[in-house]
Amino acid sequence: MEFDHTAHPNPTSAARLEEILSNPGFGTSFADHTAVIDWTAEGGWANPRVEPYGPIALDPAASVLHYAQEIFEGMKAYRHADGGIYTFRPLENAKRLNRSAKRMALPELPEELFVASLEELVQTDKHWVPDGEGEALYLRPFMFASEAFLGVRAAREVSYRVIASPAGNYFGGELKPVRIWVTRDYIRAAPGGTGAAKTGGNYAGSLAAQQQATAQGCDQVLFLDPTRENAVEELGGMNVFLVTADNRLITPELTGTILEGITRASVIQLAKDRGMAVEERRVTLDEWDAGIADGSITEAFACGTAAVITPIGELVDGEHSIASAGTGEVTTSIREELLGIQTGTVEDRHGWMHQLA
């Protein structure tokens, strides 16, 4: 499919764009254009286009507004020293989008069309990609049920779109260990539910716990599985890793209730490359607590597209606090290697980078 292009009639001025890129923040400013593809049950995918960014006209009865039939992805585009703009493992995002689509009864998007939508948008708005250290253009592909109806069934009309936003450090400022609240009141997902899908409802369901965390002076919230001896699941939007004194890397196994993170998979590969034993298994909060106390667990970190890798400095579990080692050597080393691959300063020996523009 070839994309039609409609230029924005009033693009962001050079002065305003310079101001935005000087301090991009995260998810607060958006590029001038959006990529769009329509789907109907009768005609399949059609009408791919790049058009001006702006409000979406939706019927008040649109299915997504009533039944939350929606999925999304998150990825970044980096400006390399050669002048090219690259993204990280886009086919993995395409595959995960389709896994989410299948779970949420949405149509699967051909992988090549997914990648083409990124290429078309970034080529149009490539001047929006910042070039500061650790900065990138955050890409948000998403799909939602646009059909107007109030019956509980899979929608027969769907919209797929991609928007872009300049991004700095997810938690703001210099990298520093984050403080995590352990929620005992809420779970993120249940067996057979939508935990493995990247769908908005999972994140909406995490917000009450996140409000608890904020009220306790914490940056994020950790979810547990009370049916498996309080097994560690994930944070509100990131996977969790523990580093041991005997050179092991431990992360919760994928049970269908945890999002299969692309950064998570990449961290596992980089750890194996350096000879670490990687264990994907059940890890309980008690094991984490005891490991910190006796020194067998030396570091803890979280990872995801937005934050990349962030050290966990402290877990707050009610009145009890579990202090981690802060920004440890393994956390720092893997983070630097991963960011180096993404930004083009470290050899991409696994072929993970894809040039968009």
Side-chain angles (χ1 to χ4, degrees):
M1 290 186 181
E2 291 191 7
F3 282 68
D4 290 330
H5 286 253
T6 302
H8 199 296
N10 298 296
T12 303
S13 69
R16 175 57 182 149
L17 182 56
E18 182 179 2
E19 181 184 357
I20 292 170
L21 296 185
S22 69
N23 184 22
F26 187 86
T28 56
S29 300
F30 298 93
D32 290 324
H33 296 86
T34 177
V36 186
I37 313 174
D38 304 320
W39 180 88
T40 62
E42 297 77 19
W45 292 106
N47 195 23
R49 60 199 184 274
V50 174
E51 62 185 29
Y53 178 96
I56 300 172
L58 277 180
D59 191 290
S63 175
V64 67
L65 301 177
H66 302 271
Y67 308 119
Q69 196 182 6
E70 178 269 353
I71 58 176
F72 67 96
E73 275 298 318
M75 50 208 308
K76 288 179 176 179
Y78 304 85
R79 190 182 299 279
H80 285 195
D82 64 4
I85 299 170
Y86 297 77
T87 193
F88 183 69
R89 308 188 73 176
L91 286 177
E92 295 305 311
N93 290 94
K95 292 173 183 177
R96 187 172 65 182
L97 182 87
N98 283 334
R99 291 195 297 271
S100 297
K102 186 175 181 180
R103 178 63 183 86
M104 300 304 291
L106 286 162
E108 295 183 37
L109 180 71
E111 292 174 9
E112 63 273 14
L113 199 52
F114 175 90
V115 174
S117 70
L118 307 176
E119 293 172 341
E120 296 286 338
L121 179 59
V122 171
Q123 288 167 15
T124 301
D125 282 341
K126 58 186 176 184
H127 52 293
W128 277 82
V129 183
D131 57 8
E133 184 177 356
E135 296 178 350
L137 184 68
Y138 184 80
L139 303 174
R140 171 54 63 87
F142 61 106
M143 186 190 300
F144 62 91
S146 54
E147 182 185 1
F149 78 102
L150 296 180
V152 182
R153 61 163 170 76
R156 299 191 180 108
E157 295 176 9
V158 167
S159 180
Y160 165 81
R161 295 170 179 257
V162 187
I163 58 176
S165 175
N169 190 322
Y170 183 73
F171 288 108
E174 294 183 5
L175 179 69
K176 60 182 185 299
V178 293
R179 195 165 182 255
I180 305 298
W181 173 256
V182 179
T183 181
R184 299 283 186 164
D185 298 324
Y186 303 100
I187 62 169
R188 180 184 170 275
T194 60
K198 199 166 177 67
T199 181
N202 291 341
Y203 294 80
S206 74
L207 295 180
Q210 181 60 48
Q211 287 179 322
Q212 283 185 335
T214 301
Q216 297 296 326
C218 294
D219 303 288
Q220 263 283 359
V221 61
L222 175 68
F223 290 95
L224 307 174
D225 182 351
T227 69
R228 295 192 306 141
E229 298 180 321
N230 286 323
V232 173
E233 293 270 274
E234 62 175 271
L235 304 187
M238 290 179 283
N239 296 118
V240 174
F241 284 89
L242 303 177
V243 180
T244 70
D246 58 356
N247 202 37
R248 289 177 293 130
L249 189 67
I250 304 172
T251 191
E253 62 190 334
L254 300 175
T255 60
T257 60
I258 297 174
L259 184 67
E260 188 175 347
I262 293 161
T263 307
R264 174 188 183 275
S266 305
V267 167
I268 289 173
Q269 182 61 60
L270 294 181
K272 289 179 177 178
D273 289 350
R274 59 185 60 199
M276 296 186 73
V278 178
E279 299 177 7
E280 297 180 69
R281 60 171 176 80
R282 183 184 68 173
V283 52
T284 66
L285 191 63
D286 286 344
E287 179 184 355
W288 189 341
D289 192 1
I292 291 294
D294 65 20
S296 60
I297 294 175
T298 57
E299 303 174 39
F301 64 86
C303 73
T305 298
V308 188
I309 290 176
T310 299
I312 296 173
E314 182 183 7
L315 284 180
V316 181
D317 183 14
E319 298 297 319
H320 180 58
S321 178
I322 304 172
S324 294
T327 309
E329 180 180 345
V330 173
T331 301
T332 301
S333 177
I334 293 179
R335 183 179 191 274
E336 288 178 351
E337 183 178 9
L338 182 57
L339 276 174
I341 294 169
Q342 293 173 337
T343 58
T345 61
V346 171
E347 180 187 0
D348 177 21
R349 58 184 182 277
H350 293 291
W352 285 340
M353 302 308 294
H354 176 88
Q355 186 166 5
L356 298 175

